[in-house]
Amino acid sequence: MFISIDADKCMGHGRCYAVAPDLLSDDDEGFVAQRGQCWEIPEGLLGQAEEAADACPEGAIAVLETAPSNA
Ligand code: SF4
């Protein structure tokens, strides 16, 4: 499973890294530091990835079965 964060949708609400501290972190401006990235979810962290996706009010985070072809 992969997690993808849409840089254009992220508005820096900061909810994602609050619920997924082992997967995500914040940058100096309060945005998720991993915005614009897509990567394979490490073992054991799928729950945090799904919580982060649910927590984001902008719908910027997607949990995917496969990596997008343009990633
Ligand atoms: S919760 Fe969504 S909008 Fe807020 S920092 Fe995370 S990805 Fe960005």
Side-chain angles (χ1 to χ4, degrees):
M1 299 291 280
F2 292 79
I3 182 169
S4 157
I5 304 183
D6 188 325
D8 293 331
K9 289 184 181 171
C10 176
M11 294 294 154
H13 297 289
R15 297 191 194 168
C16 57
Y17 47 79
V19 299
D22 299 323
L23 191 62
L24 305 173
S25 55
D26 59 324
D27 68 11
D28 292 343
E29 297 175 334
F31 292 90
V32 62
Q34 292 81 10
R35 68 194 154 130
Q37 297 179 25
C38 178
W39 71 102
E40 190 163 9
I41 299 166
E43 200 172 332
L45 294 181
L46 178 59
Q48 285 196 25
E50 289 176 334
E51 279 196 50
D54 287 346
C56 178
E58 305 297 333
I61 302 179
V63 174
L64 310 164
E65 295 233 2
T66 55
S69 54
N70 62 351

